[in-house]
């Protein structure tokens, strides 16, 4: 998908908001021996993106896709920090690493599925009424 300058503006705005939200989470949950902020951000981001994917499935709203889906969720969640935190945890505690990795991946998929299912059901019930 080749983006036009106005579309890049929406991605950038969403990205800026997602980055600020991500930074706020890092301030609230400072890293000590476990990457709590990264775990929470990625799980919450999975839930949000799952719900938003369902919304877009029914509504087909391009600006919201660019602003929230690509911009906000793309900058709020962080695969690179997940990878870096995983390396640090492997070095300190294999048990912490396994818990973190499995919770991140399995929890992320389950929460994305939950988000999709909740919004899909809300939409379908509103259409039936």
């Amino acid at each position: 998908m080749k983006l036009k300058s106005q579309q890049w503006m929406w991605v950038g705005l969403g990205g800026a908001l997602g980055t600020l939200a991500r930074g706020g989470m890092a301030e609230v949950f400072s890293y000590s021996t476990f990457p709590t902020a990264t775990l929470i951000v990625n799980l919450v981001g999975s839930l949000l993106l799952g719900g938003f994917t369902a919304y877009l499935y029914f509504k087909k709203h391009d600006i919201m896709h660019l602003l929230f889906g690509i911009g906000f969720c793309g900058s709020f969640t962080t695969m690179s920090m997940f990878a870096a935190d995983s390396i640090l945890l492997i070095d300190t505690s294999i048990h912490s690493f396994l818990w973190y990795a499995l919770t991140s991946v399995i929890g992320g998929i389950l929460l994305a599925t939950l988000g999709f299912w909740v919004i899909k059901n809300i939409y379908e019930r509103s259409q039936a009424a």
Side-chain angles (χ1 to χ4, degrees):
M1 165 167 86
K2 186 172 181 174
L3 298 180
K4 298 175 184 164
S5 59
Q6 183 181 18
Q7 293 170 314
W8 280 112
M9 179 194 72
W10 291 112
V11 172
L13 177 61
L17 295 172
T19 300
L20 291 171
R22 172 71 177 94
M25 292 296 288
E27 288 292 318
V28 172
F29 299 99
S30 61
Y31 189 101
S32 55
T33 59
F34 190 82
T36 305
T38 305
L39 179 63
I40 291 171
V41 160
N42 286 339
L43 293 175
V44 169
S46 294
L47 178 69
L48 292 174
L49 194 54
F52 191 69
T53 299
Y55 173 81
L56 286 177
Y57 180 78
F58 295 107
K59 295 291 186 176
K60 309 284 189 242
H61 198 287
D62 289 341
I63 290 174
M64 291 301 289
H65 169 70
L66 296 169
L67 176 72
F68 190 76
I70 296 173
F72 182 86
C73 286
S75 65
F76 181 64
T77 60
T78 172
M79 182 61 177
S80 57
M81 278 308 297
F82 169 74
D85 290 339
S86 294
I87 292 168
L88 293 174
L89 286 174
I90 288 171
D91 193 43
T92 58
S93 169
I94 193 68
H95 294 100
S96 292
F97 160 72
L98 289 173
W99 190 87
Y100 176 64
L102 292 173
T103 302
S104 294
V105 173
I106 295 169
I109 291 169
L110 290 174
L111 285 169
T113 303
L114 175 66
F116 187 92
W117 181 82
V118 166
I119 298 303
K120 177 180 178 278
N121 281 306
I122 289 170
Y123 180 80
E124 288 174 346
R125 287 181 188 193
S126 73
Q127 295 303 305

